[in-house]
Amino acid sequence: MALYWPEQKVALEIVDDPLARPFDYQNLRGWRVLQVTMAQVDDLEESRKIGDALAFMLGEPPVEKTPEWLEANERLHRELTAWSSQFYS
């Protein structure tokens, strides 16, 4: 799987996604690609690091990680992980 932000020329690629089609980033001049693994996406702390890295690459300010944000982020991560498990079991 890969997610793209064409205006910023940024892509996020999950390199070990068995459902993804290979894509050659060498031909995309000026693009920055953040390559991650499914294990990183599945891990709450690692997924937060991915979010921080993407925000930086996209030129966004860092998120203030208040207790409320951390709680909401954990709930979202748990829900997305549960949802995606139906595709990757």
Side-chain angles (χ1 to χ4, degrees):
M1 172 204 253
L3 301 172
Y4 305 93
W5 291 264
E7 290 180 12
Q8 295 90 348
K9 292 188 173 185
V10 170
L12 168 72
E13 179 186 25
I14 303 174
V15 296
D16 58 349
D17 180 349
L19 301 178
R21 287 185 242 148
F23 189 79
D24 180 14
Y25 293 104
Q26 313 315 355
N27 295 325
L28 295 177
R29 297 200 187 281
W31 278 69
R32 294 170 293 150
V33 180
L34 178 60
Q35 295 182 317
V36 300
T37 64
M38 290 181 68
Q40 287 175 287
V41 173
D42 286 343
D43 181 87
L44 177 61
E45 291 305 317
E46 288 297 315
S47 70
R48 288 178 177 163
K49 291 177 186 176
I50 293 168
D52 290 343
L54 273 176
F56 177 79
M57 291 171 76
L58 294 168
E60 295 293 325
V63 173
E64 183 182 348
K65 293 181 174 70
T66 63
E68 294 81 14
W69 184 92
L70 291 168
E71 182 180 325
N73 178 256
E74 184 174 354
R75 276 196 319 271
L76 176 63
H77 185 266
R78 190 172 42 248
E79 290 296 319
L80 290 174
T81 303
W83 175 80
S84 68
S85 69
Q86 65 185 314
F87 303 105
Y88 300 100
S89 52

